[in-house]
Amino acid sequence: QVQLVESGGGLVQAGGSLRLSCAASRSIFSIGAIFWYRQTPGKQRGMVASITTGGTTNYIDSVKGRFTISRDNAKDTVYLRMNSLKPEDTAVYYCNTLEQAGLGNWGQGTQVTVSS
């Protein structure tokens, strides 16, 4: 198992930017693909972006062109840069691996609130 700790959330006005961090307890190179998810009250947690060990990225349509996922293997950290934020991006953001998500193991997440 790997422990993933999210940070970097906050309150920002629409159009603003935030960078979320996902710090791993061990080498992320050995972990495999890492995903950012988000969840709003009353809704299911959904995938936002992912990045493989080789650096291949994937995004949901609503964040393409605004969000950028990246990984720093030397720091065992995955980032989610979020630009041009919209109120509908307001959510708790989580990072995880597919395996741990399937087991129901989640961290605390980090709250992102975008005011209009």
Side-chain angles (χ1 to χ4, degrees), residues 1-2 7 14 30 33 35 38 40 48 52 58 66 68 79 82 84 92 97 100 114:
Q1 264 194 345
V2 58
S7 63
S30 65
F35 297 74
R38 64 187 180 188
T40 54
V48 175
T52 67
N58 191 34
R66 300 189 298 121
T68 303
Y79 302 99
M82 307 185 296
S84 303
V92 179
T97 64
Q100 293 196 158
V114 184

Side-chain angles (χ1 to χ4, degrees), residues 90-109:
T90 295
V92 179
Y93 284 72
Y94 303 86
C95 60
N96 216 343
T97 64
L98 277 181
E99 180 181 9
Q100 293 196 158
L103 293 171
N105 296 332
W106 295 90
Q108 296 289 330

Side-chain angles (χ1 to χ4, degrees), residues 4-21:
L4 299 169
V5 179
E6 305 92 345
S7 63
L11 173 63
V12 64
Q13 287 189 328
S17 299
L18 284 172
R19 188 181 76 161
L20 306 184
S21 297

Side-chain angles (χ1 to χ4, degrees), residues 4 18-22 28 32-37 47-60 63-72 77-83 93-97:
L4 299 169
L18 284 172
R19 188 181 76 161
L20 306 184
S21 297
C22 171
I28 61 172
I34 294 180
F35 297 74
W36 279 100
Y37 300 79
M47 193 272 285
V48 175
S50 64
I51 187 166
T52 67
T53 302
T56 299
T57 59
N58 191 34
Y59 303 90
I60 57 172
V63 307
K64 283 181 181 177
R66 300 189 298 121
F67 289 13
T68 303
I69 188 171
S70 61
R71 60 195 293 161
D72 186 334
T77 301
V78 173
Y79 302 99
L80 185 67
R81 177 69 180 182
M82 307 185 296
N83 296 327
Y93 284 72
Y94 303 86
C95 60
N96 216 343
T97 64

